[in-house]
Amino acid sequence: ASRTLPSERDRKMTILLTPFMSCSAKIPIYALFAAAFFARGQALVMVGMYAMGIAVCVIVALILKTTGFRGNPVPFVMELPNYRFPSWKSVLLLMWDKAKDFLQRAFGVIFVATVIVWFLQTFDAHLNVVADSADSLLAAIGQLLAPLFRPLGFGTWQAAVALLTGLVAKEMVVSSLSMFYGFSLTASSGAVAAAMAGFTPLSAFSMLVFILLYVPCVAAVSTLFKELNSPKWAWFSIAWQLGCAYVVSLLVYQVGALFF
């Protein structure tokens, strides 16, 4: 969508800000934590995630506007064509064109990332197939990363690994937590909360905030690199999102711990 913007300044800002908008793939994660830890405020948590994403996006936009993206915005004027009912041929051709573009550009990245996650989750350091995921290379990596998330309230290897798998697809966060904590996806909210006993409502909300703001899935990241046409800006976007997610989640947990 940013291709319609004539100003390169506005286009880059739009690309950098779009990942802060919560995508539909995160809804299962919000639903899982809201049902398990916020029985009396599930709707408020769900709406709060979207509201927080918008608020952070506005704040980041103001920061970018006054730092690296100074200048007056170009007025956005778009001439709309006459609307006509499309033919089946044009619809099918457009579907094929979009599907082919996805397969050529994004599918390769997703496939490679999925294979890497599968390998790390299946084998241990001696390349033996593991019966328990806790003995896998992925768990070992999670144990190394876990201390980084301890100030945020969820410093466990299971949470760290779930965030890593979420880079492939955000839906994988729920399935990873289910596998590592040993609860069924059809389990009741009480059973999920009991299985994830290391979490409190505050730490659960802190993790939701991090998931809301951190790097999107590899399909979005690959599109980011393609549209920005600059590895420097793409890596800046990734680092910026990680930094924002960490700082905001840290503030939520540390400030919340003073009152709860």
Side-chain angles (χ1 to χ4, degrees):
S2 66
R3 295 178 185 178
T4 62
L5 299 174
S7 167
E8 186 66 16
R9 166 188 177 273
D10 294 347
R11 198 177 78 86
K12 283 184 177 178
M13 280 191 67
T14 301
I15 294 172
L16 293 174
L17 295 172
T18 297
F20 289 110
M21 297 294 99
S22 188
C23 66
S24 59
K26 296 177 183 178
I27 292 178
I29 311 173
Y30 301 160
L32 175 74
F33 280 90
F37 298 100
F38 304 96
R40 297 183 180 179
Q42 297 180 33
L44 186 61
V45 170
M46 298 287 284
V47 174
M49 288 295 102
Y50 285 88
M52 182 174 291
I54 294 171
V56 171
C57 183
V58 171
I59 294 171
V60 172
L62 293 174
I63 294 173
L64 293 178
K65 184 180 177 181
T66 55
T67 54
F69 291 88
R70 294 188 181 92
N72 297 319
V74 177
F76 179 65
V77 179
M78 183 173 65
E79 183 179 353
L80 297 176
N82 294 325
Y83 288 100
R84 297 182 178 87
F85 192 81
S87 66
W88 282 107
K89 181 180 178 181
S90 62
V91 171
L92 292 173
L93 286 174
L94 182 62
M95 288 171 59
W96 167 248
D97 182 63
K98 297 299 182 183
K100 184 176 68 173
D101 182 67
F102 175 80
L103 291 173
Q104 289 176 341
R105 298 179 184 274
F107 179 76
V109 179
I110 295 173
F111 178 76
V112 171
T114 303
V115 170
I116 292 173
V117 170
W118 169 83
F119 178 84
L120 294 174
Q121 186 177 315
T122 306
F123 297 95
D124 61 14
H126 302 289
L127 298 183
N128 297 317
V129 177
V130 297
D132 186 353
S133 298
D135 302 322
S136 66
L137 285 168
L138 196 60
I141 295 173
Q143 289 169 356
L144 291 176
L145 295 176
L148 294 175
F149 299 107
R150 197 163 292 136
L152 279 59
F154 48 92
T156 63
W157 70 266
Q158 294 94 332
V161 169
L163 293 174
L164 283 177
T165 58
L167 295 176
V168 179
K170 288 296 179 283
E171 297 90 344
M172 291 183 66
V173 172
V174 173
S175 57
S176 297
L177 291 173
S178 171
M179 180 173 58
F180 296 138
Y181 281 105
F183 61 85
S184 170
L185 293 177
T186 58
S188 64
S189 57
V192 174
M196 301 175 65
F199 279 90
T200 64
L202 180 58
S203 62
F205 188 77
S206 175
M207 186 169 179
L208 284 181
V209 171
F210 190 89
I211 291 171
L212 166 71
L213 300 175
Y214 90 124
V215 182
C217 62
V218 290
V221 170
S222 64
T223 305
L224 197 74
F225 275 86
K226 180 184 71 173
E227 295 299 328
L228 284 171
N229 293 321
S230 171
K232 179 185 71 174
W233 278 110
W235 285 113
F236 168 78
S237 175
I238 292 171
W240 181 262
Q241 291 158 26
L242 282 172
C244 285
Y246 195 93
V247 170
V248 176
S249 183
L250 179 66
L251 289 174
V252 166
Y253 183 74
Q254 295 298 332
V255 174
L258 298 175
F259 299 96
F260 301 101

